[in-house]
Amino acid sequence: PDSYNRSGRTDKSVSALGNCFSLLVRSSVPLDPNNPILYQDANKESVNYIGLLNNVLPPTIKALRWGRAKPTFNSRHDTTSREYRYFFNLSSFSSLPLSIPAMQSAAKLFIGLHDWRNFCKIDVLGVDSWEREIHEASIEQVSLDDPDSYFLRIKGKGFLWHQIRCIMRILFLIGKGLEKESIIVELLSKDELDKGKPDYGMEDGIGLVLWDCGYPEGDVIWEQGGGKRDWRVLKQMEAESKVKAKVVEQVRKEVEKKWGGENWNEEEGKEEQKSYVGVKKRKRNMSVEQRKETLKRNEKKAKKLGDREKRKEEYLKREKEG
C-alpha cells in the first residue's frame, strides 16, 4: 500500500474527531503469513503507537486509537462513508432568530444524488465531476438539557471543497426567514447550474467537525488507544473555552449597558432584512465551462511566454558565443 494516506482533509479552523490515517510502521509482533491482518501470537503486545504519537503531537492534535489493516488498505479510497457535523447556538442569532423546524425541513432536500456546483468552491484542476450523494442530512439538538445548541448531521461517501459550509449558509438564510426552502431545489437545478454559483458566501469553519469515517467490516482490526490523559487535555480545553466565552459575553453585555444598546439586536435584525439581497439576484461566479476556458487561455499564454523566454535565452547564448 501507499506509505501514507488520510481519509479526509479539513480547512483551517475545521476540526476532526473521526479522521483516519494509514501508514506503514514497524511491528514488534510478527504477522500471520496466512492472514497478514492478524498477529502470529495474539497474546503479545505490539508497539505503543498511540503513546509514541501523542508524546510528540501538540495538545490540539491527538491520536485516539490505532488498528491493523489489510495490506491493500487505503484510508482515503476505501472509505465507505464520511459524517460531518456543524455545531451552532441559537443565541448567536439573536438579531434574526432561527426557525429550527424550517431548517429541519430544508435539510431533507439535500438528501440524494445531486450536482453540487452551486454549493461548493469549484476546482477545475482536481475535480471533473461535481455529483455527490448525500445519504443522511438532519438538524438535531445536541442534548435535551441544552436547548440552545444544535448541529447539522450530514453523511455521504465524499464531499467537495467547502460544500458543507455553503450548505450551512443556505440553511441559516432559510432559518432566518430570508430565503424559502425552495431555493435549495432551484440551486440544484440544471438551469441554475449553468449560470454559475451565486456569490452568497459560506459559513465559518469553526463549527464544522469531521465526525466519523466508515470502512468495510474486516478491513481494520481496531485496538484500544488514548485514555485518561487525552481526556484530561480535552476537558481542560473545554473549560478554557467556556471561560473565554463567558468573558466575551459579559464584556458585550457591559458595552450594551453603558452605551444604551438594549435595542441593538432588534435594530440589527431590521437592517439585515432591509439590506438583504436574494441569493438568485446576487453576482454570479464563473461557471465550470467558463473556468475551463479561462484555464485554457492562461495555459496558452504561459506557453507563449515560455517559448519567448526560451528563444531569448538561445539568442543571448549565440551572442555570447560570438
Side-chain angles (χ1 to χ4, degrees), residues 11 162-169 202-205 208:
D11 301 324
H162 293 166
Q163 182 180 347
I164 298 171
R165 293 166 68 179
C166 289
I167 286 174
M168 280 310 306
R169 172 57 60 93
M202 64 179 178
E203 289 305 314
D204 193 278
L208 184 58

Side-chain angles (χ1 to χ4, degrees), residues 141-274:
Q141 192 171 345
V142 172
S143 63
L144 293 176
D145 59 351
D146 186 6
D148 185 50
S149 301
Y150 285 80
F151 64 93
L152 166 72
R153 184 172 67 86
I154 190 163
K155 190 173 182 178
K157 190 175 187 298
F159 293 87
L160 295 160
W161 196 3
H162 293 166
Q163 182 180 347
I164 298 171
R165 293 166 68 179
C166 289
I167 286 174
M168 280 310 306
R169 172 57 60 93
I170 294 298
L171 284 175
F172 283 149
L173 291 175
I174 293 170
K176 291 177 180 180
L178 298 174
E179 293 285 350
K180 297 180 180 180
E181 67 174 39
S182 59
I183 188 64
I184 296 173
V185 178
E186 292 173 19
L187 289 176
L188 292 172
S189 68
K190 189 177 186 309
D191 290 342
E192 290 296 321
L193 292 173
D194 294 337
K195 296 177 183 178
K197 177 178 174 287
D199 190 9
Y200 58 79
M202 64 179 178
E203 289 305 314
D204 193 278
I206 195 169
L208 184 58
V209 183
L210 173 54
W211 196 258
D212 189 31
C213 295
Y215 294 96
E217 187 175 351
D219 276 15
V220 183
I221 296 178
W222 294 106
E223 301 285 350
Q224 185 62 36
K228 205 166 188 178
R229 185 176 64 171
D230 299 326
W231 170 80
R232 287 195 192 101
V233 173
L234 290 169
K235 191 174 181 181
Q236 180 64 28
M237 290 171 60
E238 179 187 6
E240 291 173 357
S241 296
K242 286 181 177 179
V243 171
K244 289 178 182 178
K246 183 56 68 175
V247 168
V248 173
E249 178 189 10
Q250 292 306 307
V251 170
R252 187 259 305 165
K253 287 182 177 180
E254 192 65 19
V255 168
E256 289 177 355
K257 180 180 176 182
K258 288 185 175 181
W259 294 92
E262 294 84 0
N263 299 320
W264 284 353
N265 269 326
E266 184 179 347
E267 292 172 6
E268 282 284 303
K270 289 180 179 178
E271 287 177 12
E272 186 174 359
Q273 286 178 320
K274 185 178 180 180

